[in-house]
């Protein structure tokens, strides 16, 4: 046959070969049929006369036409049915999903003793309790049930799940905290404080007006068009991460603009917002700057000790004249290093003080005295004193005293050695005795932190045994999450989590286990105060790296690519600026932005949250048909 036809058995297109066979006799015909069956041939009768063949052909053509009409009408009918199904399919899908979800929950219920009703034990927020009761009442009424549904609070010893309601602004910050660990029930949540501290710490490492403005505009575009389906339904996972954190990126860009003005950097270039506080004319009139002196010195240093040169502090940020100074890097290194130490100690101290809310809420008054107080004394006596020395030296010594200004680092080392260096003058009178007292206070706070809580718990248990008072059972907790009385809160605190549930009210307290966990906490805190303070120097390192990369990119691309003020220079500047923009986006915004983000994340997880946050809880998973019921 000239065209291939579909094989009815396999459905494949096959080229068919037709044989016309004539035979005489019935026996030969039977043999031919058997041979045809062996080769899986299809045998069709062939009329002998021309008229019969024409009639058969006409019959087949009419049959094909009838079948074509039937198939066409069937397809039209199916298309109409499918058009109607398409309209009803979304509602059918919702109904099926709801039925599956409802039956899944019903299968988790237990039968009553009479086997006439189902009992479901669930956690329910107090704020939503009235809505649940109303929904059950409406369900009983609409279903026509003779048994009314009701809600009854039951006592339980289990720790309730944690429910933290978020909106589209706070969801990104809460997800950062939850990635470290979900808060224990009624524990202090670090997310509200991270709304300010996280973008600010990021901006310290990413401080540049130009880069921060680009990041801010990108996040602003996502915020303004956040209801666009194309942005919400993007399949790219990386894009979804950026979109969900759009408000976080918005604040990171805004804070970077602020710190960029502090550093006075915009694409690595200083901006002259206010006139410089240095007077070069006065220095030129200085006696040491004679003509011969100027001829032999290519670079000169502005001396703030010369009268009339330094006219006062710059109104805001870094003076732009520092960008021309040869000691620009030394000045900024000293400034940013001290700033990193100050901000780090303040940040850690704030984290330690947040533990007050946990202790007060869970009525652990002994931990306020035996843990929080020694921690504050240890931190402030050593590193709080270091912050005091930094500010005192800034205020006490001027440019005239720059040659005799003592070294803070040497004083801090001598503080632990209980000695004084004769070559390093004291900062104030009576400095050595004060430092000795502070070191003694810090050392005394260590055994208090180590032994205070275990001995107190052991004494409490011993008193109960002597007085024949049975240990108090754990307070019964109703499965409610908000609006509970203070006496009914579950004490899911750091002490209970670390001791495996053997809190001060536990029935059998393992003293050795409590002491071991307290020893680990003491060692971790004391050594952490040192290592965490050093860890905050990453603020200085990342800020320096970002500024130097930005300056190198400007010098290597823009400055070297600029060929002059001519038509040729204008044409060349187009690809040069394109390369500069691409490299700025790829290296300084994406790579450096991710690097600063990860370091800010580490400072919050390790250095800040470990001072008060356990994160040993679990989230409430509410029954809902939507992906996120609390958004």
């Amino acid at each position: 046959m000239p065209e291939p036809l579909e094989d009815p058995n396999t459905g494949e297109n096959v080229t068919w070969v037709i044989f016309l066979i004539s035979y005489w006799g019935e026996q030969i015909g039977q043999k031919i049929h058997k041979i045809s069956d062996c080769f899986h041939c299809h045998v069709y009768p062939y009329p002998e006369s021309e008229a019969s063949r024409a009639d058969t052909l006409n019959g087949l053509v009419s049959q094909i036409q009838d079948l074509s009409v039937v198939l066409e009408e069937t397809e039209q009918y199916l298309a109409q049915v499918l058009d109607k199904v398409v309209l009803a399919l979304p509602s059918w899908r919702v109904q099926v999903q709801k039925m599956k979800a409802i039956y899944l929950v019903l299968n988790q219920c237990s039968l009553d003793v009479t086997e006439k009703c189902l009992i479901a034990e669930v956690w329910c927020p107090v704020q939503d309790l009235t809505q649940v009761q109303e929904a059950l009442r409406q369900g009983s009424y609409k279903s026509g049930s003779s048994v009314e549904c009701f809600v009854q609070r039951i006592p339980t010893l289990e720790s309730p799940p944690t429910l933290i309601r978020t909106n589209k602004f706070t969801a990104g910050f809460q997800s950062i905290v939850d990635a470290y660990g979900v808060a224990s029930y009624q524990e202090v949540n670090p997310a509200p404080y991270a709304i300010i501290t996280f973008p600010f710490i990021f901006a310290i490492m990413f401080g540049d007006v130009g880069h921060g403005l680009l990041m801010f505009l990108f996040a602003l575009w996502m915020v303004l068009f956040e209801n666009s389906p194309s942005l919400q339904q993007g399949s790219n996972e990386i894009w979804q991460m950026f979109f969900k954190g759009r408000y976080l990126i918005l604040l990171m860009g805004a804070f970077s603009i602020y710190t960029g003005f502090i550093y006075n950097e915009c694409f690595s270039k200083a901006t002259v917002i206010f006139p410089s506080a240095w007077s070069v004319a006065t220095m030129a009139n200085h006696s040491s700057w004679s003509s011969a002196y100027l001829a032999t010195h290519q670079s000169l240093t502005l001396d703030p000790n010369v009268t009339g040169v330094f006219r006062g502090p710059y109104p805001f940020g870094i003076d732009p004249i520092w960008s021309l100074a040869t000691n620009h890097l030394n000045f900024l290194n000293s400034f940013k290093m001290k700033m990193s130490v100050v901000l780090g100690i303040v940040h850690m101290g704030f984290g330690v003080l947040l533990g007050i809310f946990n202790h007060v809420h869970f009525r652990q008054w002994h931990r306020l005295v035996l843990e929080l107080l020694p921690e504050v004394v240890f931190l402030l006596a050593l590193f709080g004193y270091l912050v005091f020395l930094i500010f005192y030296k800034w205020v006490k010594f001027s440019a005239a005293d720059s040659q005799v200004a003592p070294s803070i680092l040497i004083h801090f080392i001598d503080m632990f050695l209980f000695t004084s260096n004769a070559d390093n003058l004291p900062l104030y009178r009576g400095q050595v005795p004060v430092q000795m007292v502070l070191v003694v206070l810090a050392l005394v706070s260590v055994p208090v932190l180590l032994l205070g809580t275990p001995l107190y718990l052991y004494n409490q248990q011993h008193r109960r045994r002597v007085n024949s008072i049975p240990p108090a059972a754990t307070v019964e907790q109703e499965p409610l999450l908000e609006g509970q009385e203070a006496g009914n809160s579950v004490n899911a605190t750091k002490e209970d989590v670390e001791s495996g549930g053997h809190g001060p009210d536990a029935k059998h307290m393992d003293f050795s286990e409590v002491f071991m966990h307290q020893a680990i906490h003491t060692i971790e805190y004391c050594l952490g105060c040192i290592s965490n303070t050093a860890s905050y120097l990453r603020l200085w390192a990342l800020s320096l790296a970002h500024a130097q990369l930005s300056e190198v990119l400007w010098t290597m691309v823009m400055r070297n690519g600029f060929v002059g003020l001519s038509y040729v220079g204008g044409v060349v500047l187009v690809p040069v600026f394109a390369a500069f923009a691409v490299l700025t986006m790829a290296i300084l915004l994406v790579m450096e932005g991710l690097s600063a983000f990860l370091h800010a994340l580490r400072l919050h997880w390790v250095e800040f949250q470990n001072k008060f946050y356990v994160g040993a809880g679990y989230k409430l998973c509410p029954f809902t048909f939507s992906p996120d019921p609390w958004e």
Side-chain angles (χ1 to χ4, degrees):
M1 294 184 66
E3 296 180 359
L5 294 179
E6 181 180 346
D7 189 347
N9 296 326
T10 61
E12 298 179 356
N13 289 331
V14 180
T15 302
W16 297 87
V17 180
I18 300 176
F19 295 90
L20 181 62
I21 302 176
S22 301
Y23 60 90
W24 291 268
E26 192 67 26
Q27 293 181 353
I28 296 177
Q30 292 178 359
K31 292 181 179 180
I32 291 175
H33 277 284
K34 290 181 180 179
I35 294 173
S36 301
D37 293 337
C38 291
F39 287 96
H40 303 286
C41 297
H42 299 278
V43 180
Y44 302 98
Y46 189 75
E48 295 183 1
S49 62
E50 185 69 25
S52 299
R53 290 195 294 270
D55 293 339
T56 303
L57 184 60
N58 293 332
L60 291 175
V61 171
S62 62
Q63 186 178 358
I64 290 174
Q65 292 177 352
D66 294 339
L67 291 176
S68 299
V69 172
V70 171
L71 290 176
E72 184 178 357
E73 292 180 354
T74 304
E75 289 179 357
Q76 292 179 357
Y77 174 74
L78 292 177
Q80 294 176 1
V81 173
L82 291 177
D83 290 339
K84 295 180 180 179
V85 170
V86 167
L87 299 177
L89 187 61
S91 61
W92 291 355
R93 182 182 291 110
V94 171
Q95 291 177 5
V96 171
Q97 291 177 349
K98 286 185 176 182
M99 290 176 64
K100 290 179 64 177
I102 291 172
Y103 278 106
L104 176 64
V105 174
L106 291 177
N107 290 333
Q108 297 176 353
C109 299
S110 58
L111 285 173
D112 187 45
V113 179
T114 59
E115 297 186 358
K116 293 183 179 180
C117 63
L118 295 176
I119 299 176
E121 296 182 2
V122 299
W123 294 105
C124 175
V126 174
Q127 184 176 344
D128 300 331
L129 188 59
T130 56
Q131 298 180 12
V132 173
Q133 292 173 339
E134 182 63 25
L136 292 175
R137 189 179 300 108
Q138 292 292 333
S140 300
Y141 172 75
K142 292 181 179 180
S143 63
S145 175
S146 60
V147 180
E148 183 180 357
C149 298
F150 59 91
V151 177
Q152 181 180 358
R153 301 186 183 185
I154 57 175
T156 179
L157 302 179
E158 297 181 6
S159 178
T162 301
L163 170 61
I164 299 176
R165 301 180 187 272
T166 59
N167 51 37
K168 59 184 179 181
F169 177 78
T170 60
F173 299 94
Q174 188 62 51
S175 62
I176 290 177
V177 175
D178 292 341
Y180 175 81
V182 179
S184 303
Y185 181 59
Q186 294 185 344
E187 186 183 14
V188 172
N189 182 24
Y193 312 105
I195 294 176
I196 299 299
T197 59
F198 191 92
F200 181 67
I201 289 180
F202 169 85
I204 293 174
M205 298 178 281
F206 197 75
D208 191 289
V209 176
H211 302 153
L213 181 62
L214 293 177
M215 181 179 292
F216 178 81
L217 293 177
F218 171 67
L220 184 63
W221 169 72
M222 289 191 293
V223 170
L224 294 178
F225 297 95
E226 61 184 8
N227 296 325
S228 175
S230 59
L231 297 182
Q232 292 180 347
Q233 301 174 0
S235 58
N236 191 297
E237 185 177 357
I238 297 179
W239 166 253
Q240 285 297 322
M241 292 176 61
F242 280 108
F243 183 73
K244 292 181 180 178
R246 57 192 180 277
Y247 289 97
L248 174 61
I249 300 175
L250 185 73
L251 290 185
M252 286 160 50
F255 279 63
S256 298
I257 295 174
Y258 169 76
T259 54
F261 279 116
I262 293 292
Y263 298 155
N264 203 352
E265 291 185 3
C266 181
F267 295 109
S268 79
K269 303 279 88 178
T271 56
V272 185
I273 303 175
F274 303 100
S276 175
W278 292 83
S279 176
V280 183
T282 306
M283 284 296 298
N285 297 329
H286 193 50
S287 59
S288 62
W289 284 17
S290 60
S291 300
Y293 186 84
L294 294 174
T296 57
H297 292 77
Q298 295 182 354
S299 60
L300 300 172
T301 303
L302 295 175
D303 188 2
N305 197 25
V306 177
T307 304
V309 174
F310 187 64
R311 295 176 298 190
Y314 192 67
F316 185 81
I318 303 296
D319 196 312
I321 203 170
W322 277 107
S323 61
L324 305 176
T326 56
N327 59 340
H328 175 220
L329 194 58
N330 294 334
F331 168 73
L332 283 185
N333 277 347
S334 176
F335 165 71
K336 291 182 179 180
M337 182 176 62
K338 293 182 175 65
M339 178 191 66
S340 301
V341 173
V342 171
L343 293 177
I345 295 174
V346 171
H347 196 212
M348 290 190 299
F350 177 64
V352 173
L353 294 179
L354 285 178
I356 297 176
F357 299 99
N358 283 331
H359 303 331
V360 172
H361 177 77
F362 296 121
R363 300 180 180 276
Q364 294 181 330
W365 311 113
H366 66 281
R367 298 187 66 180
L368 284 173
V369 179
L370 301 177
E371 290 189 18
L372 182 70
L373 184 59
E375 290 176 353
V376 173
V377 170
F378 184 86
L379 181 65
L380 295 183
L382 299 181
F383 302 98
Y385 179 70
L386 176 61
V387 174
F388 166 76
L389 292 180
I390 293 174
F391 280 99
Y392 186 83
K393 183 178 178 180
W394 282 344
V395 175
K396 178 68 175 178
F397 296 93
S398 62
D401 307 322
S402 59
Q403 301 297 328
V404 296
S407 172
I408 296 178
L409 180 60
I410 296 178
H411 275 304
F412 198 62
I413 295 174
D414 293 340
M415 176 179 175
F416 294 94
L417 300 177
F418 293 97
T419 59
S420 60
N421 194 330
D423 297 331
N424 196 36
L425 298 178
L427 288 167
Y428 57 90
R429 184 179 301 175
Q431 179 180 352
V432 175
V434 171
Q435 293 181 165
M436 294 176 62
V437 171
L438 292 177
V439 173
V440 171
L441 286 176
L443 295 177
V444 169
S445 64
V446 175
V448 176
L449 181 61
L450 176 64
L451 302 174
T453 299
L455 291 178
Y456 173 81
L457 299 179
Y458 178 79
N459 184 41
Q460 290 292 99
Q461 188 182 40
H462 180 69
R463 288 176 56 187
R464 283 196 296 264
R465 290 177 180 175
V466 171
N467 298 330
S468 300
I469 300 177
T474 305
V475 179
E476 294 182 347
Q477 169 65 31
E478 297 174 348
L480 303 174
L481 301 185
E482 298 177 281
Q484 291 187 335
E485 297 81 1
N488 290 336
S489 60
V490 172
N491 192 346
T493 58
K494 187 174 184 178
E495 181 180 329
D496 295 334
V497 173
E498 292 181 348
S499 61
H502 299 286
D505 296 329
K507 195 169 185 178
H508 300 287
M509 184 184 68
D510 190 351
F511 179 75
S512 61
E513 186 177 356
V514 173
F515 177 78
M516 182 62 66
H517 286 288
Q518 190 64 26
I520 294 174
H521 171 67
T522 303
I523 296 174
E524 180 183 5
Y525 178 81
C526 295
L527 295 181
C529 284
I530 302 173
S531 62
N532 295 160
T533 303
S535 183
Y536 276 94
L537 292 176
R538 70 185 67 237
L539 300 177
W540 157 49
L542 267 293
S543 175
L544 174 64
H546 184 82
Q548 293 302 304
L549 278 175
S550 181
E551 185 175 353
V552 168
L553 184 61
W554 178 275
T555 303
M556 298 297 293
V557 179
M558 291 295 291
R559 181 182 297 176
N560 294 339
F562 188 72
V563 295
L565 298 175
S566 62
Y567 293 107
V568 177
V571 174
V572 173
L573 194 59
V574 173
V576 169
F577 179 78
F580 173 77
V582 171
L583 293 176
T584 299
M585 294 291 294
I587 298 177
L588 295 178
L589 286 181
V590 178
M591 294 179 59
E592 278 289 312
L594 288 176
S595 176
F597 179 87
L598 292 177
H599 284 283
L601 192 65
R602 180 248 157 80
L603 290 176
H604 277 77
W605 281 0
V606 180
E607 277 72 28
F608 174 61
Q609 292 181 188
N610 69 347
K611 300 295 186 296
F612 67 97
Y613 186 67
V614 179
Y618 62 100
K619 277 187 177 182
L620 173 69
C621 296
F623 176 76
T624 179
F625 298 110
S626 61
D628 193 347
W630 304 118
E631 286 192 353

